[in-house]
Amino acid sequence: MTRYSFVNSPGPGGNLGDDLGDVWERVLGTQPDPPWQVVLATAAAALAIVAYRPAWRVARNVVTIAHEGGHALVAVLTGRTLTGIRLHSDTSGVTVSKGRPTGPGMVATAFSGYVTPSALGFLGAWLLAAGHVTALLWIMMALLLAMLVMIRNVFGIVSLLVTGGAVFLVSWYAPAQVQGAFAYLGVWFLLFGGVRPVFELRSKRRRGRARDSDADQLARLTPVPAVLWVGSFAILALAALIAGGRWLVAG
């Protein structure tokens, strides 16, 4: 893969504008699909990470980042004032916004958390199916950077810097084959990882340990009971997994 560098003055036969143009072309260009063995291997690896409890305890932080980022984005889009995001070492998180305590904006904000990891995985699968591996990685970095400015605790800052740093290093320095495998692994992980928290929520609610969950908040905001909100989370997560998985496998 060609390495790109920024220069302060034009060199022989080139200039800064050409270098920037090359970088832009690199980001927006398409890359070849990885071999089917890589697609299936990354799917198996992502499923193993989600299914194996010790690995899931660590990797679940990525899902929490997506979950809280979804709350934050929808809060802003619906006119609420975002005041901060906290990510905790137990993989929980809190997003605080100000605005009307009821109404469509609050409902949309509460609903968005559990569906965002699956939605990101679905959109990522669409980009990979179109061959936009590098664009996907840079979009991920942009989202993490936008979220970073709203983090209000040290663990959250470290989590985003580590995640964003890993994405940047792979997108900038790794060969195309490694970028492709990394992107497919990340998207598969979001698709599988978007499903497990929903069933964890269902289990916690049955034991009476999630009285302030997003589903219970939605039940207080609407006439719809919490169990149906959990069911809607599950349906959307499974639909994203099936549709996104088909895109990834089909290439």
Side-chain angles (χ1 to χ4, degrees), residues 30-51:
T30 59
Q31 293 77 38
D33 295 332
W36 65 267
Q37 295 94 332
V38 172
V39 176
L40 296 183
T42 53
L47 180 58
I49 292 171
V50 172

Side-chain angles (χ1 to χ4, degrees), residues 151-162:
I151 296 294
R152 296 294 182 263
N153 66 325
V154 174
F155 181 83
I157 292 172
V158 172
S159 295
L160 260 70
L161 289 177
V162 170

Side-chain angles (χ1 to χ4, degrees), residues 154-179:
V154 174
F155 181 83
I157 292 172
V158 172
S159 295
L160 260 70
L161 289 177
V162 170
T163 305
V167 175
F168 172 75
L169 290 174
V170 170
S171 69
W172 195 251
Y173 294 107
Q177 297 88 340
V178 175
Q179 287 189 30

Side-chain angles (χ1 to χ4, degrees), residues 181-244:
F182 182 83
Y184 270 77
L185 176 64
V187 169
W188 278 119
F189 175 75
L190 286 172
L191 291 171
F192 286 121
V195 175
R196 178 163 178 169
V198 178
F199 288 92
E200 290 178 340
L201 172 62
R202 177 177 176 271
S203 178
K204 288 179 180 178
R205 291 195 70 259
R206 290 179 65 180
R207 299 195 300 269
R209 294 175 51 195
R211 299 183 185 279
D212 291 323
S213 71
D214 293 350
D216 290 277
Q217 291 183 47
L218 287 164
R220 291 192 287 268
L221 291 166
T222 68
V224 181
V227 65
L228 293 184
W229 287 113
V230 176
S232 68
F233 296 157
I235 290 171
L236 290 173
L238 291 170
L241 173 60
I242 293 170

Side-chain angles (χ1 to χ4, degrees), residues 15 24 37 60 68 157 166 193 200:
N15 54 48
W24 191 244
Q37 295 94 332
R60 197 185 193 281
E68 300 304 330
I157 292 172
E200 290 178 340

